[in-house]
């Protein structure tokens, strides 16, 4: 087989292929990565990152629009730099993420700052950096931002994140646009808050924002939210408060198993229809859809442990590396990196952590031996960024594949680093 070998048709990662009896990502066997960098290691495909981003750019061609990558999905500098080179903006939720974007070469004037708990210190840092917009989530935040901008003698560009109260039909933990959750300001309060914002001397009303949830598979709720936002924009315009941009948040879902997410173009079509003929710049904050299927977690089987009711494959990755299965009961495809002949067995894929919740996958049929490598797919989003050092486990290395090149974009932590900031009692 050659470089044109089609991607495995049943695997959600576009640049993963079965070649010469083994899994390759772009032009590299995954086994090479394990040999050079060890396991567990997150592995990303540059081509997959770029094609995911370009799909957004192409679907928005001909419109004034900015795609702001949601940094919390995967904040590695190597990943951020790939998007910065493509002209991306960034959606951040902390001063830490702002520093990452700057370190990766991202432009401050393309950064939007989301989140319900921005501190005064974070506001100062973001104002001094000259970010594009603060997506403000409460009346109290509006007042604080006005005060902080006043102290600095500057003006803060703001959008109110409104809660359009539409049901995104996704997992309750990742649904954010319904009444009764902590995000955004109530739709009914938004008009009065805009009037308040317009009257505050150190704020400049720039736009409006919403983000209704994550892993959305149906474009209809987004189009419904967009229509609600637009009605509000028009009422504000009539009252003399003109908005320059409309930020529709992130949330487009990906295929983990058998989900059928719309293409970016199909997802955006009903939205763009709502905004046909409008002048406002559109802004989007995709996270998962840009990185989720561009990454996998490479892990090695330490032991096979037959049980009375279940067989376990105990691997060297764990819930501290990939929390989504334990946290959301999320499903990730698990494939053998070097499939071999023999009997298929059903396994629980578990890590070494002392928690019964430490599993990566349930009931998977695999032909594997101890020592084999497994690839846990669709792990590019909310994988490494949600990892921890629980059980004093150094976090995984991260490698970006670019053609046949392997770039170590984060080296594995050492145990000494894990407690370097700690002190024993004298
Ligand atoms: C998490 C988040 C995003 C990204 O969501 P995805 O589902 O990863 O696309 C975008 N905007 C805001 C405000 C968020 O909180």
């Amino acid at each position: 087989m050659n470089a044109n070998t089609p991607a495995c048709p049943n695997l959600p990662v576009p640049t993963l292929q079965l070649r010469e009896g083994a899994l390759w990502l772009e032009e590299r066997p995954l086994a090479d990565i394990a040999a050079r960098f060890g396991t567990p290691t997150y592995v990303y495909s540059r081509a997959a990152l770029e094609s995911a981003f370009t799909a957004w750019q192409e679907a928005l061609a001909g419109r004034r629009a900015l795609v702001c990558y949601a940094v919390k999905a995967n904040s590695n500098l190597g990943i951020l730099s790939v998007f910065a080179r493509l002209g991306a903006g960034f959606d951040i939720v902390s001063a830490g993420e702002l520093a990452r974007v700057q370190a990766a070469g991202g432009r401050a004037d393309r950064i939007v700052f989301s989140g319900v708990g921005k501190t005064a210190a974070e506001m100062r840092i973001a104002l001094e950096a000259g970010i594009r917009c603060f997506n403000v989530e409460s009346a109290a935040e509006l007042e604080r931002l006005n005060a902080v901008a006043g102290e600095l003698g500057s003006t803060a560009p703001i959008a109110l994140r409104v809660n359009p109260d539409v049901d995104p039909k996704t997992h309750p933990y990742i649904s954010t646009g319904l009444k009764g959750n902590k995000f955004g300001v109530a739709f009914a309060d938004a008009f009065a808050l805009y009037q308040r914002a317009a009257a505050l001397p150190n704020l400049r009303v720039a736009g409006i924002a919403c983000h209704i949830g994550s892993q959305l598979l149906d474009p209809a709720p987004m189009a419904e939210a967009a229509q609600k936002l637009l009605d509000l924009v028009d009422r504000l315009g009539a009252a003399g408060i003109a908005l320059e941009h409309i930020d529709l948040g992130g949330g487009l879902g990906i295929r983990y198993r058998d989900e059928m997410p719309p293409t970016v173009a199909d997802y955006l079509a009903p939205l763009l229809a709502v905004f046909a003929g409008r002048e406002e710049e559109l802004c989007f904050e995709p996270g998962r859809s840009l990185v989720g299927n561009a990454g996998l977690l490479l892990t090695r089987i330490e032991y096979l442990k037959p049980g009375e009711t279940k067989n376990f494959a105990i691997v060297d990755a764990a819930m501290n590396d990939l929390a989504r299965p334990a946290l959301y009961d999320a499903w990730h495809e698990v494939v053998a990196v070097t499939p071999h002949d023999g009997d298929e067995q059903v396994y629980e894929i578990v890590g070494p952590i002392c928690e019964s919740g430490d599993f990566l996958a349930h009931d998977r049929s695999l032909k594997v031996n101890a020592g084999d490598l497994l690839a846990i797919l669709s792990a590019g989003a909310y994988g490494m960024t949600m990892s921890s050092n629980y059980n004093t486990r150094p976090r995984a290395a991260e490698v970006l594949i670019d053609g046949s090149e392997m770039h170590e974009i984060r080296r594995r932590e050492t145990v000494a680093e894990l407690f370097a900031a700690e002190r024993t009692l004298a």
Side-chain angles (χ1 to χ4, degrees):
M1 295 200 219
N2 58 40
N4 297 320
T5 309
C8 299
N10 296 317
L11 300 182
V13 179
T15 50
L16 196 63
Q17 309 141 40
L18 196 56
R19 271 200 223 177
E20 296 155 18
L23 276 184
W24 292 50
L25 191 64
E26 297 194 23
E27 301 300 311
R28 262 294 164 180
L30 287 178
D32 282 8
I33 297 156
R36 169 99 64 98
F37 303 102
T39 51
T41 292
Y42 276 99
V43 191
Y44 310 105
S45 157
R46 179 174 187 175
L49 293 168
E50 292 187 339
S51 72
F53 189 81
T54 355
W56 278 86
Q57 283 181 317
E58 284 168 5
L60 291 165
R63 267 219 70 105
R64 225 155 55 82
L66 183 63
V67 180
C68 294
Y69 167 59
V71 174
K72 73 178 192 286
N74 188 320
S75 60
N76 183 290
L77 298 196
I79 305 264
L80 298 180
S81 72
V82 168
F83 291 135
R85 280 166 207 236
L86 296 172
F90 295 92
D91 171 40
I92 60 165
V93 293
S94 70
E97 287 188 350
L98 172 57
R100 283 182 173 275
V101 171
Q102 290 177 309
R107 282 172 49 170
D109 64 354
R110 291 188 184 163
I111 293 175
V112 298
F113 192 170
S114 303
V116 294
K118 302 175 194 80
T119 66
E122 287 179 314
M123 289 172 172
R124 247 172 250 125
I125 291 166
L127 280 166
E128 277 164 356
I131 67 163
R132 168 192 170 84
C133 194
F134 290 84
N135 288 352
V136 172
E137 304 214 16
S138 65
E141 185 188 336
L142 211 53
E143 302 295 331
R144 178 185 281 180
L145 184 57
N146 179 62
V148 172
E151 283 161 23
L152 292 180
S154 71
T155 304
I158 67 115
L160 282 180
R161 173 167 171 189
V162 302
N163 203 326
D165 197 29
V166 299
D167 184 355
K169 305 187 180 84
T170 183
H171 192 289
Y173 286 12
I174 49 182
S175 140
T176 54
L178 280 170
K179 273 183 196 159
N181 76 44
K182 71 177 178 181
F183 301 103
V185 303
F187 196 78
D189 300 340
F191 190 88
L193 278 174
Y194 268 108
Q195 289 181 306
R196 175 68 183 148
L200 288 171
N202 309 311
L203 301 183
R204 180 173 67 78
V205 175
I208 189 166
C210 76
H211 171 71
I212 65 169
S214 202
Q215 186 58 11
L216 310 179
L217 299 170
D218 177 358
M222 267 315 303
E224 190 189 332
Q227 189 58 59
K228 281 192 156 183
L229 251 56
L230 197 54
D231 294 344
L232 181 55
V233 170
D234 285 340
R235 280 199 288 135
L236 288 166
I241 300 174
L243 303 187
E244 299 149 24
H245 76 261
I246 301 175
D247 179 340
L248 295 152
L252 174 57
I254 62 169
R255 185 156 81 85
Y256 286 98
R257 186 180 192 177
D258 48 12
E259 301 90 339
M260 298 290 272
T263 62
V264 179
D266 289 346
Y267 175 71
L268 289 179
L271 273 176
L272 295 179
V274 170
F275 295 108
R278 302 287 303 211
E279 291 297 309
E280 293 89 354
E281 180 173 37
L282 296 184
C283 182
F284 295 90
E285 303 168 353
R288 189 189 313 269
S289 70
L290 292 180
V291 291
N293 271 331
L296 56 86
L297 177 58
L298 191 60
T299 182
R300 195 178 288 283
I301 300 174
E302 292 285 345
Y303 300 100
L304 292 180
K305 182 174 178 180
E308 263 176 44
T309 54
K310 286 179 186 248
N311 297 313
F312 294 94
I314 302 169
V315 299
D316 64 4
M319 65 187 285
N320 75 297
D321 299 300
L322 180 63
R324 298 186 70 259
L327 201 56
Y328 310 115
D329 207 15
W331 201 95
H332 287 265
E333 180 75 70
V334 178
V335 285
V337 167
T338 317
H340 36 74
D341 299 333
D343 287 341
E344 220 162 59
Q345 291 253 26
V346 177
Y347 293 101
E348 293 287 296
I349 316 291
V350 301
I353 285 185
C354 307
E355 298 272 350
S356 308
D358 181 26
F359 70 93
L360 296 170
H362 294 302
D363 295 334
R364 300 307 170 89
S365 291
L366 294 165
K367 290 177 197 170
V368 287
N369 297 325
D372 284 1
L373 293 169
L374 296 178
I376 300 169
L377 306 187
S378 313
Y382 306 105
M384 188 63 178
T385 48
M386 292 178 87
S387 66
S388 78
N389 294 119
Y390 190 40
N391 279 205
T392 306
R393 289 169 50 84
R395 273 173 295 179
E398 294 180 283
V399 173
L400 181 76
I401 299 299
D402 183 4
S404 61
E405 287 184 33
M406 303 186 278
H407 300 283
E408 186 180 39
I409 56 174
R410 180 185 170 109
R411 66 164 171 76
R412 190 176 308 285
E413 281 171 335
T414 65
V415 168
E417 284 172 318
L418 301 192
F419 53 82
E422 300 172 27
R423 293 290 175 269
T424 55
L425 292 186

